[in-house]
Amino acid sequence: MGASVTTSATTVKAETVTLPAQFGNGSLPPQGCPMHQESQKSSYPSECPMHQAEPPAGPVHQDRAYEFVECPLRAAKAGIQGLSDVDPTNMMPPPNQQPAPDQPFSLSVKREESTIPRAGKDNNWVYPSEQMFWNAMLRKGWRWKDDSLSPDDMTNIIKIHNRNNEQAWEEILKWEALHAGECPCGPSLKRFGGKAKEFSPRARIRHWMGYELPFDRHDWIVDRCGKEVRYVIDYYDGDIDKDTHQFSILDVRPAFDSLEAVWDRVKVAWWRWTS
């Protein structure tokens, strides 16, 4: 986001949760006094604590991401010429959308919106652009001269990356369906991180049994209406589907951080065993 991994399970259908419509509070003053009119504010039901607290701090690039979804060319130009993108700590523009000095070809700066809700926000998470992905790989030590890459390769890499994340969220929703009653607003993603070299105990046990190790691992922190739940995602090599760009085999499960998570995994394991 290979070795075969047991991922078949009895399907746990995620329930569709519909939020109540936004409504205004209070009565309006006379039209002759527009200065006293208050703007209508939306509110959420009391059973949605995730909307009551201050939004959690997240990646800075997510706050401006929708500019690159709606009009990438104008947003990229603003990133170069505008002062609004200058980091006050070093008075430098953000480098993640700027071409690398020795980059052999131009890359798109357009970003695609995901279907993954961002905790504490009304928007979803936004995926990196081709240019952002290229620069991120350079920061991790990758050198493009060692590989024969073309612009089409970067386009396909982004599509595979995005599909991996969508697939991971779909698997998380199956687990979260077990708690639909306690979280009527539905879960959202609070933060995440990669741990490619920190193999999970489950991955190590599989390796001892003769299977390959995953090529990547992510830990996703999900906001379940105010409760943080950590999910471990192991990524294994698979056969690419050229139509959907699905490539990886994912092993997604809640981490053993609580008795509730242990019980969830015991229940699902029993369902799989008896199905």
Side-chain angles (χ1 to χ4, degrees), residues 80-143:
I80 298 175
Q81 300 177 351
L83 294 178
S84 59
D85 280 344
V86 173
D87 187 343
T89 62
N90 58 12
M91 296 306 295
M92 293 291 290
N96 59 359
Q97 289 282 39
Q98 307 304 320
D102 60 346
Q103 188 170 308
F105 42 74
S106 61
L107 293 170
S108 172
V109 297
K110 183 177 181 180
R111 304 180 64 179
E112 180 181 341
E113 181 185 8
S114 75
T115 63
I116 306 173
R118 186 179 172 196
K121 301 288 185 177
D122 294 329
N123 297 328
N124 296 337
W125 286 86
V126 179
Y127 293 126
S129 66
E130 295 177 15
Q131 186 64 64
M132 291 175 66
F133 202 94
W134 178 281
N135 292 338
M137 291 193 298
L138 291 179
R139 288 195 300 269
K140 294 179 180 180
W142 173 77
R143 293 297 175 262

Side-chain angles (χ1 to χ4, degrees), residues 10-15 172-183 224 231 254 260-261 263-269 271:
T10 300
T11 303
V12 182
K13 295 184 179 178
E15 299 180 3
I172 288 176
L173 288 181
K174 294 177 183 178
W175 288 97
E176 286 297 305
L178 299 173
H179 303 276
E182 66 186 78
C183 186
R224 185 188 293 161
Y231 281 86
E260 183 179 52
W263 179 237
D264 283 350
R265 289 181 62 169
V266 168
K267 286 190 296 185
V268 172
W271 293 340

Side-chain angles (χ1 to χ4, degrees), residues 196-217:
K197 301 303 181 182
E198 298 181 26
F199 299 115
S200 64
R202 178 162 169 159
R204 292 184 182 277
I205 292 174
R206 285 179 47 81
H207 185 57
W208 295 338
M209 297 171 62
Y211 294 96
E212 294 182 7
L213 287 168
F215 68 84
D216 199 4
R217 168 192 168 181

